[in-house]
Amino acid sequence: MSTNGETLVTIEDLRVHFPITSGIVFQRKVGAVYAVDGIDLEIKQGETLGLVGESGCGKSTTGRAILQLIRPTTGRVLYSGADLAHLSGSALRKQRRRMQMIFQDPYASLNGRMTVGDIVGEPLLVHKMGDRAQRKAKVRELLETVGINPNTLNRYPHEFSGGQRQRIGIARALAVEPNFIVCDEPISALDVSIRAQIINLLQQLQREFGLTYLFIAHDLSVVRHISDRVAVMYLGRIVELAENSVLYEAPMHPYTQALLSAVPIPDPAAEELRRPVVLTGDVPSPVEPPRGCHFHTRCPAAREGLCDVEDPQLKIVRPGHWAACHLITGDDYPHIRAGENDVAVVDDVAEVDGTAETPAGEGGETA
Amino acid sequence: MSDEERREADELRRDGALEPEPEMGLHPAAAGAGASLASGEAAAGYFGETLMIEQQSLSGEVWRRFRRDKFAMIGLGAIIVIILLAVFAPWIAPHNPLTQYNDGITMQGMPVGSSAKFPLGTDTLGRDMLSRILYGARVSLFIGIVANGFALLLGVVFGLSAGYFKGGTETLIMRMTDVMMAFPILLLAIALSTTVFSKGGVWLLVVVITIVYWTPMTRVIHGEVLSIREKEFVDAARLTGATNRRILFRHILPHLVAPIIVYTSLGIATTIVFEATLSYIGVGVQPPTPSWGQMISMGQDYYYTAPQLVIYPGLAIVITVLAFNLVGDGLRDAFDPQQRRR
């Protein structure tokens, strides 16, 4: 996992809005789902960038929009200089050789009507790499690399287990020798016993081929294990981005603090003392995201007239540590802890000016 | 596991489909590498993963399940017999279907009942019923299969384009099917066959039926494509740089085989009934070419005195249609065993 600091992928103000239409012949737009709502990100050569967040926060959409599987509404995706968002047709197909994806569901991501050999060999065929014999040799080599018996290339996906299918999916992604791979929850659909193997395989392949990963997951401990840097998403935006150790040890954004308090600690003594913070209210609908900071409706530290009005920018709060929160100034930031009934409250109220508002939400509780 | 499932598993095992032995596993070298990767702990997991079922093609599996369906097999047998009878009608039929026999009609001008010479009796013009029914099978099957083939072709082309490209293409095609479906089908067919296609003839009937029947096929294919195009393997194919054509024909079309086969066999049954209906009301196959619907139409005036004029061609229609429907249902179950249990 050597990072030479060079940027491989730059994402600028990426937005994906799915229109909600009505009408049969003449469809008119009546609204939009703001799935991804302005993301800036730099992915460095050779690193693993973890992307975490709750279900529905737009992390998978972000991954797909980067690879142009979903065309972004606005924004740029620069891959070694070229803007993918404005490429199409054969120009885009050529760029696709350099970036691939590993999918969540190994049962849906392999075409059940094609043999394993055809699945792994298709990218080679599409890009006209080598002749028939060379391609076959390459497919065998790829299968061996991911730990699948190369003699099984005439078999169909349904004859393999979930873990083996995921390995076949990885072999397909490697076929075109990409630099950059988006791993979209690659282990979420697998048995717990298989997860470690796939994670280890991914790490081994990264060392071997110098791959760069965008690792999307909702499992915080897995992300901690595999990532160099971690970005936290909430409702279509990145709220915090930092080195792995920094983010997990000293999170600054109130949402990250609440999120991390929900992670169990594998030490009985410490786990005994852990008090998960409970945020009040539900995640707002991405159809009508709140004005200002998207998190202000649930943030115990939110300040009226500031957080519900102005969009916080993702800015450097410490070297290599970005956060999008109005209340982080210098070394001061809102400390979130579990108060009465585990409901989140702000500690050190004085530090943040003494005017912090705690939303009086007695309604639904979500962890 | 329900009883049925268990029984099925037993049967599969007996057929040698489920191999209890782990017959092939991971590459030994890879398993070793994996073990070292996962610092030994995963070794058990590796061998847990190695259970495999013996290689089996989809068509083999479908045939195995289809074979167990008694009614579908009866239907298939009936279809084969009907097709053979139709193809070999000139050799099987005892008489020329168009010849009016003097001894095929009584002094009162009535058709005669079954006899050694006319096994199923004669019709009102003294023609041999058996021969006419055999020749009628040729007409029904020809129209059923050919018209359905064309409807299928249009349905696949339009359904695929509408479902895959979406946008304007989809709106245009699917609204067209809505308009077609809003039309009273029978009236449309009557109008077409009395005006534009008033010359009659089997081919013109094929055209009429195709125009009427491409819509349901288009809708079925469109719906299937909509669900398949969202599958992750289609995304994966797009990511490898595959062209639209490749995705359509290599990734989506193979998944349409099941609905296409099922709806075609069911559609043939519907088409045969439709042809009979048109011929019955006199706008379909024109006399003297024998067709089952037209035979019923001619015989209905003699319903009391000579019911065989209506019964035999009616039976021919019922048996043929039933056979195709049984096979269609059987195929649907065979392609999707989950559906039946639900």
Side-chain angles (χ1 to χ4, degrees), chain A residues 161 164, chain B residues 21-26 45-52:
Chain A
S161 69
Q164 288 174 319
Chain B
E21 294 298 316
E23 165 267 354
M24 54 161 249
L26 283 153
Y46 262 92
F47 294 112
E49 270 190 74
T50 54
L51 192 85
M52 285 277 177

Side-chain angles (χ1 to χ4, degrees), chain A residues 24-27 64 67-69 93 96-97 99-101 103-115 118-119 122-123 125-127 143-144 146-152 154-156 158-165 167 172 176 184 193-194 196-197 200-201 204 207, chain B residues 23-31 33-34 36-39 41-58 61 170-171 175 178 230-244 246-247 250-259 335:
Chain A
I24 298 170
V25 179
F26 302 104
Q27 303 195 328
R64 280 160 191 264
L67 297 182
Q68 307 302 312
L69 279 179
R93 279 204 299 279
R96 285 209 156 127
R97 270 192 65 176
M99 42 187 194
Q100 284 295 312
M101 184 161 183
F103 293 88
Q104 172 172 6
D105 183 355
Y107 291 87
S109 63
L110 304 181
N111 184 347
R113 301 285 152 84
M114 285 167 79
T115 62
D118 285 341
I119 290 171
E122 186 174 38
L125 187 66
V126 165
H127 291 286
L143 287 176
E144 210 158 340
V146 298
I148 295 285
N149 185 343
N151 294 326
T152 61
N154 285 326
R155 297 188 176 249
Y156 287 89
H158 73 265
E159 301 172 68
F160 293 86
S161 69
Q164 288 174 319
R165 280 163 170 247
R167 287 169 189 269
R172 171 180 59 194
V176 289
D184 184 8
S193 56
I194 312 294
Q197 298 172 19
N200 286 326
L201 175 65
Q204 181 212 8
R207 280 193 296 273
Chain B
E23 165 267 354
M24 54 161 249
L26 283 153
H27 193 59
S36 67
L37 270 177
S39 44
E41 45 149 23
Y46 262 92
F47 294 112
E49 270 190 74
T50 54
L51 192 85
M52 285 277 177
I53 42 178
E54 197 179 292
Q55 179 169 9
Q56 229 176 52
S57 67
L58 176 79
E61 233 167 300
E170 185 182 32
T171 309
R175 292 325 127 220
D178 286 348
E230 299 303 327
K231 295 265 169 71
E232 283 187 337
F233 67 79
V234 175
D235 281 339
R238 194 165 294 141
L239 267 184
T240 62
T243 54
N244 281 337
R246 189 174 179 84
I247 293 173
R250 283 285 282 162
H251 294 274
I252 295 182
L253 201 55
H255 286 84
L256 298 175
V257 168
F335 273 113

Side-chain angles (χ1 to χ4, degrees), chain B:
Chain B
M1 220 188 210
S2 73
D3 277 359
E4 198 179 335
E5 274 173 285
R6 197 168 302 125
R7 212 165 44 239
E8 209 155 282
D10 283 350
E11 252 169 79
L12 281 173
R13 207 162 286 129
R14 223 176 306 124
D15 294 350
L18 276 178
E19 198 64 53
E21 294 298 316
E23 165 267 354
M24 54 161 249
L26 283 153
H27 193 59
S36 67
L37 270 177
S39 44
E41 45 149 23
Y46 262 92
F47 294 112
E49 270 190 74
T50 54
L51 192 85
M52 285 277 177
I53 42 178
E54 197 179 292
Q55 179 169 9
Q56 229 176 52
S57 67
L58 176 79
S59 51
E61 233 167 300
V62 168
W63 172 239
R64 186 189 313 282
R65 285 196 289 259
F66 186 83
R67 224 171 36 192
R68 278 208 301 268
D69 188 339
K70 266 196 219 97
F71 288 110
M73 286 305 284
I74 293 171
L76 185 66
I79 290 176
I80 292 171
V81 171
I82 293 165
I83 290 177
L84 288 177
L85 288 177
V87 169
F88 295 107
W91 291 274
I92 298 166
H95 303 286
N96 184 320
L98 304 182
T99 310
Q100 302 179 8
Y101 291 92
N102 279 332
D103 53 349
I105 202 153
T106 64
M107 295 304 283
Q108 288 78 29
M110 289 295 291
V112 301
S114 51
S115 63
K117 189 175 179 191
F118 307 112
L120 299 180
T122 57
D123 72 356
T124 53
L125 296 176
R127 295 175 291 198
D128 180 40
M129 282 291 283
L130 178 62
S131 307
R132 285 183 71 74
I133 287 177
L134 288 174
Y135 275 87
R138 305 187 113 193
V139 174
S140 289
L141 286 181
F142 177 81
I143 291 178
I145 292 169
V146 174
N148 241 278
F150 284 127
L152 172 76
L153 202 67
L154 287 179
V156 169
V157 170
F158 284 130
L160 263 183
S161 332
Y164 187 72
F165 295 108
K166 296 190 113 176
T169 319
E170 185 182 32
T171 309
L172 184 71
I173 292 172
M174 294 324 286
R175 292 325 127 220
M176 245 159 69
T177 68
D178 286 348
V179 171
M180 288 299 291
M181 287 209 152
F183 246 85
I185 289 180
L186 202 55
L187 282 184
L188 176 68
I190 293 170
L192 284 174
S193 39
T194 51
T195 55
V196 190
F197 301 128
S198 58
K199 293 267 170 15
V202 172
W203 274 104
L204 298 180
L205 206 58
V206 167
V207 173
V208 170
I209 291 177
T210 306
I211 291 175
V212 169
Y213 273 102
W214 69 273
T215 43
M217 202 66 200
T218 303
R219 292 200 149 190
V220 168
I221 301 288
H222 172 246
E224 293 284 334
V225 173
L226 280 186
S227 82
I228 294 167
R229 77 190 295 278
E230 299 303 327
K231 295 265 169 71
E232 283 187 337
F233 67 79
V234 175
D235 281 339
R238 194 165 294 141
L239 267 184
T240 62
T243 54
N244 281 337
R245 208 179 67 188
R246 189 174 179 84
I247 293 173
L248 275 171
F249 291 106
R250 283 285 282 162
H251 294 274
I252 295 182
L253 201 55
H255 286 84
L256 298 175
V257 168
I260 286 174
I261 291 180
V262 170
Y263 281 93
T264 303
S265 61
L266 296 175
I268 289 175
T270 324
T271 317
I272 289 174
V273 172
F274 196 62
E275 180 274 322
T277 312
L278 289 180
S279 299
Y280 173 80
I281 56 180
V283 294
V285 178
Q286 298 302 313
T289 313
S291 133
W292 295 339
Q294 182 205 92
M295 288 165 79
I296 294 177
S297 157
M298 285 182 73
Q300 64 179 348
D301 294 340
Y302 298 83
Y303 172 64
Y304 282 110
T305 44
Q308 77 272 16
L309 293 189
V310 178
I311 290 171
Y312 293 134
L315 270 179
I317 294 176
V318 169
I319 291 170
T320 311
V321 170
L322 188 66
F324 275 104
N325 276 329
L326 286 176
V327 169
D329 285 344
L331 281 171
R332 186 172 49 204
D333 292 344
F335 273 113
D336 189 0
Q338 307 295 324
Q339 201 145 38
R340 191 175 33 182
R341 296 204 192 99
R342 243 182 255 142

